[in-house]
Each structure stands twice: as structure tokens, then as C-alpha cells.
Amino acid sequence: MSKPTLARGTRDFGPTQMAKRNYIFDTIRRIFQRYGFQPLETPSIENLSVLMGKYGDEGDQLLFKILNSGNFAENLTPTDLGENYKKLTTKISEKGLRYDLTVPFARYVVMNRNDLVMPFKRYQIQPVWRADRPQKGRYREFYQCDADVVGTDSLLCEAEIVLMIHEVLRGLGVADFTVKINNRKILTGIAEVIGAPGQEGPMCVAIDKLDKIGKEKVEDELRERGFTDENIAQLQPIFTLTDDQSDIFARLRGWLAGSEIGLKGVSELEEVGAKVAAFGLQNPQIQMDVTLARGLSYYTGAIFEVKANGVQMGSISGGGRYDNLTGAFGMPGLSGVGISFGVDRIYDVMEELKLFPENQTTSTRIMLTNFDADAERYGLGILRQLREAGFNAEMYPDAAKLKKQFDYADRKNIPFVLIIGSDEIQTGILSLKNMQTGEQQKLTLSEITGLL
RNA sequence: GAGAUUGUAGCUCAGUUGGUUAGAGCGUCGGAUUGUGGUUCCGAAGGCCGCGGGUUCGAGACCCGUCUUUCUCCCCA
């Protein structure tokens, strides 16, 4: 018999982990609903025609593809086998596992466009799969928690996302964090004013590494990517704008005066800030960061990223505004803005900061001992009454040694044990033991339900 | 996709230049204690040394392949 193993890059979540993960999921779900988002679930499996071509060539490679059922090789010819594997794949696989929640969401919106109430606010908490090479904090199966609003350009949505981030993290006890916010239009504007219009893509790839490799190396990389010394000289304000937030909008306007789109980005950013302020958010933890560029390929407006302070960890949440979510499915012009929480990273942050509440592990409040057939029969009646009174209760299933039964209760963190033997059956007075203090007292059932 | 790295008991790890019967701590189980958990003491079980091939009189150790772990790059959550 060979030992079983997990598939590469996957994990089990035992009862202890599940209690903690559910605590995170429940908090996020509660806040999403409080902001008017409605739940959506889509299938794990999608047709490859839905998934392919949406994530770029690299993304297509990272898709888990499902071999056709039955004799998948039935219609293959020797010529097919001689083809490159990508062509062969299309002949033997028609379905794949979901790669993210956004594309299935877009498919859903297109398929239900006539029935949806627009603007449509949906949240979705489901696992996704990527055939990536696993690393620390990177798995082949992991959960995403997305909330998106589609069908409106209103900046109120951006402001609400900022508010939700604050509420979720504070709800989880993560007090010290920074919501970094930028706008794609500002990045476009910067490319214009430094004399490299349309080059914000390569510009951002380099600038994005500022934290990691420092200013000098960023400039080297910009040169490698074809930026002139003149471009780089014009770019200098970017290195001071983030550190010093005072008058940031005025300084941005000065720098981007020559770019209409850049100025629009600044106005949008400012308006989002104003709406957050109007809501009355206490002690906002927001930072304008003109070097923030995540997911540049599809964001068109606001860009968010959230970092927990005081721990060595990448971003725990991110999102932004995109145009044309559903364009790939033949429904152009639908704008949306969304946020995604990284549960695994939030879990690690909370673990490191010891933010999980105690006693998440068990839900059983009281356990009944099991002496023998008579005591079990008597105890079952008590058990029913305890459960009817609303308590999580269980009886030890075997007439094992008491030592073993107490050990079980101890290890399951059950706070109370009810001892039912011949004495208790005769008198009707039950022995209740408090497992934390070790104290034991003789009580009637109604006294016990009162005490619990 | 590229480079490096790891794999020995349930867990964390020892294991000498290749040489008898592969060890420790923790955990598990049993007993001390037949109506009372945590602590203590005593005892026991538990290993195809990741898997497949090769070199050798002899392989946990050396060689090749493969899977796996971790890390960097790429990319991302």
C-alpha cells in the first residue's frame, strides 16, 4: 500500500484552520452584503472557449485543462499527433478549471444581461485554479473573494470600495494597514509629460519595482526599456510624490499641466477622496501612490492595493476600475470597478499578528459521559433537552473509561462535562464539571441550562 | 517556462570515508489511576530511508531518471 499524498500545490484545511478561514470569509461576506452586493456562484468548470485568450499567452498556459471524457483520442489522426501540443490540446480538451472569478462573472453578465438590475453589484467567494509553479504563499488552488459593480461610471463605487476595505480589515482586527490608491489616467498623463506618450506600460513595469530595487536600478531598467535620459530627467517628481503627501493634488496638477487625461485622473482621485470624507470614515488609512501600477493591462481608472503594515507580506487586497469587462463576449461598453481580497495572505497576516479570537476550534459546549447502556439511555433524554434549549451538546459514543472520555473533552476544548452514572440517575441531580476550573457541582437540569 | 534546493517514524530532525539489527525528541497507544482530563513516572507500537533504475561483495549514503518541497527569476493572489 502506497502512502497517499496531496496533489502539488494543494492543501487540506483541518478543523482548526477551517474555523479561522470561516471567520475571515464570514467577515468579508457580511461587509459585502452590508454594502448591497449580492452573491454569485459559477461552475468550477468552464468551456475553454470562455477562458482562452482572456489572460494572455501566459495565462492560457496556466489554465488547467480537462481531458475530454470517454475515448478522447478517437478522432485523432497521426497528423494531429505531429502538431504542436497547443493545437493538439484543442482536439482533446474542451473544458478547463476557472482561472479567476472575473471572466466567469463577465460571462454571467452577458448571458443574463436582460434580467440583471443595473448597476449590478455582485460578490463571489470561490476557489480558482492555476497550473503555476507553487511557491511560498502561491498555490495551484486558492480562494478569491471578489466584489464588483458593473454598469456605472460613478466614482461613488470607488469610494465605497475604499470604505469596504477599511471595514473588512478593521472587522478582522487588522488595525494597521495602508490602502494605496492611484489612477491609470495619471500614469498615462505621466508618460505624456515626460515625452514618452503611450509608453506607460513599460514605464510602470520598471517603476513598480521601486520598493524592491531602488531608484538607481529603476532608472537603469528604464534605459534598457528604451527611455531616454531626457525622459528620465522629466520623471524625477515621481520619486518624491509618494513620500510627501502634502498638497499632493496641487503638485500633481502642476506636473501634469500639459496632459488633459492626466489632469482628469487627478480630479477623479481627488473626488474619490472627497466622497470618502463625506461618508465620515474615521481615521482613513489611504495613501496616494503614483508608482502603483498593478494589473495595468486592463485597469482604466482607479487602481487599489492594500498592504498590512508591520508584517513582511505582499499586498493582501487589490482592485480597480476597468472598461469593457464584457467586450470579449460581444457586449462592449460596460464599465465596472472591483476589489479582491487575498484570503490566504490575510490568514497569514492574522496568524503572525495573533489576531484570531480564542476558542474558534470547537463549537461543542457540553459533553455527556457514557457509562453503560442504562446511563446512555437516561443521558439521551438529557441530551435532547440540552439541544432543544439551544446548546451544542454531544454524548461520548462509547462506554469507554472515564479517563478517555475526559481526555476527549479536554482535547476538543469542550468547556463542560456532564457526568451521568447510577447515582445521578437515581437522584436526578447531575454532576457538572467545569473543565477550565476543574470544579464540579451537583445540579438539576434546569440549573444547568441556566448556568450554560 | 529558466536556475537552485529538499525528501529518513504521525511531526521536527540525527545518521561518520559506502560496512552488522537505521536512532533521538515530541506525538500516539497502554499501564500506574476499574467514577474524573491537563502534570509526573513506567512500558509499547510505529520505517520499501519519496519512487524507479544503475554502480558495488555490500547503498539511507554514490550515479541516472522521475515525482515532491522550498527559494529566486518570470508572472501573480
Side-chain angles (χ1 to χ4, degrees), chain A residues 34 111 262-263:
Chain A
R34 186 165 299 157
M111 288 177 67
L263 290 174

Side-chain angles (χ1 to χ4, degrees), chain A residues 80-273:
Chain A
D80 292 330
L81 291 173
E83 300 267 17
N84 74 53
Y85 75 98
K86 285 179 186 171
K87 269 201 160 159
L88 182 60
T89 303
T90 62
K91 295 203 163 76
I92 59 176
S93 171
E94 292 168 350
K95 293 178 283 301
L97 292 175
R98 175 201 311 131
Y99 179 89
D100 70 0
L101 301 180
T102 307
V103 166
F105 172 51
R107 175 192 56 69
Y108 175 83
V109 169
V110 171
M111 288 177 67
N112 296 276
R113 63 178 106 185
N114 292 326
D115 304 320
L116 292 177
V117 178
M118 289 290 179
F120 181 49
K121 304 171 82 170
R122 86 89 170 77
Y123 74 86
Q124 191 168 354
I125 301 177
Q126 289 191 277
V128 302
W129 294 269
R130 295 184 187 178
D132 206 352
R133 183 173 294 204
Q135 283 181 35
K136 185 76 172 176
R138 284 174 72 172
Y139 305 94
R140 292 182 141 186
E141 178 186 63
F142 61 96
Y143 273 75
Q144 290 191 332
C145 304
D146 283 17
D148 292 81
V149 191
V150 294
T152 171
D153 292 327
S154 169
L155 293 172
L156 182 58
C157 301
E158 274 85 340
E160 290 224 295
I161 280 173
V162 171
L163 296 172
M164 281 202 301
I165 293 168
H166 280 74
E167 282 206 41
V168 165
L169 293 178
R170 286 173 181 171
L172 289 171
V174 182
D176 190 10
F177 59 89
T178 303
V179 181
K180 292 184 177 185
I181 178 167
N182 194 12
N183 193 299
R184 169 65 189 268
K185 296 187 177 84
I186 290 176
L187 295 169
T188 305
I190 290 173
E192 283 179 11
V193 299
I194 68 168
Q199 294 303 301
E200 66 264 34
M203 180 183 85
C204 289
V205 172
I207 291 172
D208 204 40
K209 297 178 182 170
L210 186 59
D211 282 349
K212 261 189 187 171
I213 62 179
K215 183 181 166 186
E216 309 292 320
K217 291 243 171 91
V218 166
E219 292 181 350
D220 289 344
E221 184 155 343
L222 283 167
R223 270 180 218 105
E224 275 171 38
R225 290 175 182 275
F227 289 84
T228 63
D229 287 342
E230 173 64 16
N231 295 150
I232 294 169
Q234 294 289 321
L235 190 60
Q236 290 307 309
I238 207 168
F239 297 112
T240 54
L241 271 167
T242 304
D243 292 336
D244 179 6
Q245 297 265 298
S246 62
D247 292 329
I248 187 156
F249 295 118
R251 284 154 62 208
L252 267 174
R253 282 209 172 82
W255 187 27
L256 299 178
S259 166
E260 193 182 331
I261 191 161
L263 290 174
K264 182 150 195 324
V266 178
S267 298
E268 288 186 10
L269 208 52
E270 198 168 21
E271 192 175 336
V272 170

Side-chain angles (χ1 to χ4, degrees), chain A residues 327-353:
Chain A
F329 298 118
M331 184 181 167
L334 193 66
S335 174
V337 56
I339 185 73
S340 180
F341 287 93
V343 174
D344 295 299
R345 284 188 178 173
I346 292 175
Y347 184 102
D348 290 343
V349 167
M350 290 181 66
E351 198 71 271
E352 194 169 332
L353 298 177

Side-chain angles (χ1 to χ4, degrees), chain A residues 27-57:
Chain A
T27 302
I28 292 173
R29 192 177 293 120
R30 194 180 67 240
I31 305 292
F32 282 170
Q33 286 173 352
R34 186 165 299 157
Y35 277 75
F37 289 80
Q38 295 180 297
L40 173 71
E41 285 202 8
T42 63
S44 306
I45 302 169
E46 293 275 358
N47 289 322
L48 278 182
S49 55
V50 168
L51 300 175
M52 295 286 279
K54 308 298 189 300
Y55 310 104
D57 283 348

